[in-house]
Amino acid sequence: MAIIIVYCVFSLQEIAYSEIFSLWAVSDISYGGLSFSSQDVGEVLAISGLGLMLFQLLVYPLMEKTLGLLVVIRFSAVMLIPLLSCYPSIASLSGLTLRLVIICASILKNALSISLVTGLFILLNKAVPQSQRGAANGISMTAMSSFKSFGPAGGGVLFSWAQKRQVASFLPGDEMVFFVLNLVQLVGLIMTVIPYISHNQ
């Protein structure tokens, strides 16, 4: 059950990020966004998808075999925090530099996120006997779907609220958005230290 809860927390963060990224990318520079067109966002996501496919096929199996599932999960969770913290600063870039940096950040974010989700999914299947895997996967997908249902609405509300606080003294604008995403990420990371998860690797 602990693995399912961790899986749900990371899924919530991931779907909220997916909602926020597109909104942030198309929002105006004056609001801390990138002023991208929908075509620009599509290009970034397409290139990220290609990078993700190559990562899943070539890099992830070697990482998992060399480091082990739990190390990959925790490493990915830890590395996502500073990466997301850099996103508001990316908005200060322009031109080709902005495009290259946002593409690299997006590829890295997707690679780390998929490492988390894949690792947790494998860990879940290792934690139960073969005869119970169908039930465990059904429960985890149901729970994850319910968590994911809150992600887009929560992400949209968070982004909308942050747009209204551009001149706040504490974490103005989009800094608050990525701070909250990092808090959810941190909760998930802390939950990976639960002894039950460590014993079932």
Side-chain angles (χ1 to χ4, degrees):
M1 187 65 178
I3 297 170
I4 294 173
I5 295 169
V6 176
Y7 185 48
C8 290
V9 169
F10 284 126
S11 295
L12 173 67
Q13 194 271 358
E14 177 59 28
I15 198 72
Y17 166 83
S18 298
E19 175 74 15
I20 288 167
F21 177 79
S22 297
L23 294 172
W24 173 68
V26 298
S27 65
D28 193 70
I29 292 172
S30 63
Y31 288 101
L34 305 180
S35 289
F36 275 14
S37 67
S38 55
Q39 181 178 344
D40 294 332
V41 174
E43 288 172 5
V44 170
L45 295 177
I47 294 168
S48 299
L50 178 62
L52 183 59
M53 182 183 74
L54 294 174
F55 175 82
Q56 277 286 88
L57 291 173
L58 304 174
V59 180
Y60 182 80
L62 295 173
M63 275 178 54
E64 192 269 324
K65 185 182 281 187
T66 306
L67 302 173
L69 282 173
L70 205 50
V71 173
V72 169
I73 291 167
R74 288 178 180 159
F75 174 78
S76 299
V78 166
M79 294 308 295
L80 278 165
I81 293 172
L83 177 63
L84 285 175
S85 298
C86 294
Y87 270 59
S89 302
I90 292 173
S92 64
L93 302 173
S94 62
L96 183 60
T97 307
L98 170 62
R99 290 184 181 276
L100 291 176
V101 170
I102 198 63
I103 287 169
C104 291
S106 185
I107 290 171
L108 189 55
K109 164 70 172 89
N110 288 336
L112 291 170
S113 292
I114 203 69
S115 296
L116 263 172
V117 172
T118 304
L120 285 167
F121 200 69
I122 294 169
L123 206 58
L124 172 68
N125 282 289
K126 284 182 162 186
V128 295
Q130 178 75 31
S131 60
Q132 296 177 348
R133 284 189 183 156
N137 282 310
I139 292 167
S140 71
M141 288 296 138
T142 303
M144 185 241 341
S145 295
S146 64
F147 269 68
K148 278 190 166 185
S149 67
F150 295 107
V157 168
L158 175 63
F159 186 79
S160 177
W161 173 66
Q163 294 294 292
K164 295 175 186 169
R165 51 185 318 276
Q166 293 296 319
V167 293
S169 57
F170 178 71
L171 297 172
D174 296 331
E175 289 181 26
M176 180 57 82
V177 172
F178 292 105
F179 176 74
V180 172
L181 286 175
N182 274 335
L183 283 180
V184 176
Q185 187 73 27
L186 183 62
V187 168
L189 173 62
I190 291 168
M191 292 177 78
T192 65
V193 185
I194 295 171
Y196 178 78
I197 292 175
S198 302
H199 293 141
N200 281 286
Q201 102 171 333

